[in-house]
Amino acid sequence: MRLGVLDVGSNTVHLLVVDAHRGAAPLPAYSHKADLRLAEHLAKDGKIASSGADGLLSFVKEASVLAEDKGCESVLAFATSALREAPNGLAVLDRVRQETDVDLQVLTGEDEARLTFLAVRRWFGWSSGRLAVFDIGGGSLEIAAGSDEEPTVAVSVPLGAGRLTREALTSDPPDKDEVRALRKRIRMEMAAVAGRVLRAGKPQRSVATSKTFRSLARICGAAPSDEGPYVPRGLDRDDLAQWMPKLTKMSTAERAELPGVSAGRASQLLAGALVADAVMDLFDLPSLEVCPWALREGVILSRLDQLQPR
């Protein structure tokens, strides 16, 4: 069957069309996305401004037409932290539903962690044993760990690369005192949940997903994306440690020149690197493997699991 997945994130809105059936890997057939940066369209009271709501509505309308054109039987539409946390998030969702007939389901942070974990488990398989999975989004960091397809622990922490950049890094290049304060904040908030994850047991495989981790792995020497998803990629703690002093001194424009770093994500790279560095330090991980599957694939796989076999 052909499915569409409409992912409304804090940074990007993305329509992914896949050919999928139970027992097989979803095969991407078409992709369309835009850097809407919904979390940056916020008023002082935290509400999504009309510019953000209008941009979201426009993309959903466009995505609905494209999904129909590509022959999708259905579209799985979901939203994450930007709409979840906005005081007027429900009103924006109602407007989208009324004007497009698309029902965006808002995932909890724990849902995001759980579904991402499912995708990683299916990608690497049962031989991986106990998994720990880390996903840096625009608004939050998701962490999940366990030995089954359902994680033993799934948590969400407000340590997204976009959020931290907006809230804590005001100059470009960043002020060293702001960087120091942000590093302290990240480690304190992560340490508050680390015990829950560590009690699930030492992972036999530690995995990272998300654009932020992929970009960091690329600048540390991982294979470029055009070599395909089956090339093993990873991020070493020592390699990232060597890059940290350089990243703290770079401007956004300079970071955008790095391999694997898009102009739209360059401003968030330092905050994301600080989170990644804290992950590997606090959880005592010398390296992280990078998985090409993440939340979108988890949503697809979960939907397929609910279908009756033919």
Side-chain angles (χ1 to χ4, degrees):
M1 64 185 302
R2 177 158 283 196
L3 291 173
V5 181
L6 178 56
D7 175 359
V8 178
S10 298
N11 288 316
T12 306
V13 282
H14 189 177
L15 171 70
L16 178 66
V17 176
V18 298
D19 291 315
H21 62 270
R22 289 185 65 179
L27 180 65
Y30 177 77
S31 176
H32 175 62
K33 58 185 174 181
D35 287 329
L36 180 59
R37 298 192 176 282
L38 197 60
E40 295 181 8
H41 292 270
L42 299 178
K44 291 183 179 180
D45 58 1
K47 292 182 178 180
I48 295 173
S50 58
S51 58
D54 291 345
L56 175 60
L57 183 62
S58 177
F59 186 89
V60 173
K61 288 179 178 178
E62 182 182 13
S64 297
V65 173
L66 288 171
E68 183 176 329
D69 288 346
K70 299 301 179 183
C72 293
E73 294 184 29
S74 61
V75 175
L76 309 175
F78 65 91
T80 56
S81 63
L83 279 168
R84 182 170 68 233
E85 297 175 7
N88 64 334
L90 290 177
V92 174
L93 291 171
D94 286 341
R95 182 183 171 195
V96 170
R97 188 180 303 110
Q98 291 171 8
E99 297 190 34
T100 68
D101 288 330
V102 173
D103 188 11
L104 279 169
Q105 299 296 312
V106 178
L107 301 178
T108 67
E110 289 73 18
D111 285 339
E112 290 186 54
R114 178 179 56 80
L115 290 165
T116 301
F117 184 90
L118 172 64
V120 173
R121 169 62 74 192
R122 294 281 176 91
W123 180 267
F124 284 114
W126 291 109
S127 63
S128 298
R130 188 179 296 108
L131 278 173
V133 178
F134 304 89
D135 186 327
I136 303 172
S140 57
L141 165 71
E142 273 68 53
I143 306 172
S147 300
D148 302 322
E149 288 199 333
E150 188 74 19
T152 304
V153 57
V155 297
S156 180
V157 193
L159 295 176
R163 179 199 299 271
L164 297 177
T165 301
R166 290 191 308 274
E167 294 179 354
L169 300 177
T170 63
S171 57
D172 186 25
D175 177 82
K176 63 180 182 180
D177 291 333
E178 288 187 341
V179 173
R180 187 182 300 112
L182 178 56
R183 182 181 185 274
K184 179 179 179 180
R185 168 184 168 181
I186 290 168
R187 287 166 179 261
M188 288 180 63
E189 293 194 33
M190 199 178 299
V193 302
R196 291 176 56 191
V197 181
L198 293 171
R199 278 192 291 273
K202 185 175 179 60
Q204 294 163 288
R205 194 167 210 155
S206 301
V207 180
T209 71
S210 77
K211 178 65 173 175
T212 296
F213 273 120
R214 292 197 300 272
S215 296
L216 292 171
R218 179 71 185 98
I219 67 173
C220 288
S225 58
D226 59 13
E227 292 190 17
Y230 297 105
V231 176
R233 295 176 176 87
L235 177 63
D236 288 340
R237 181 176 165 187
D238 289 343
D239 291 340
L240 181 60
Q242 291 181 16
W243 268 97
M244 290 302 298
K246 304 175 190 177
L247 293 174
T248 60
K249 296 176 182 177
M250 286 182 173
S251 67
T252 296
E254 289 171 328
R255 288 187 223 118
E257 296 296 321
L258 296 172
V261 180
S262 66
R265 298 292 185 106
S267 65
Q268 304 178 13
L269 187 67
L270 175 57
L274 289 167
V275 174
D277 182 57
V279 162
M280 289 190 280
D281 189 3
L282 269 65
F283 291 94
D284 193 22
L285 304 172
S287 64
L288 290 164
E289 295 181 72
V290 177
C291 180
W293 280 5
L295 178 58
R296 278 186 294 274
E297 288 76 16
V299 169
I300 294 166
L301 294 166
S302 179
R303 175 72 178 94
L304 293 174
D305 288 348
Q306 297 170 16
L307 298 177
Q308 293 295 324
R310 294 181 177 178

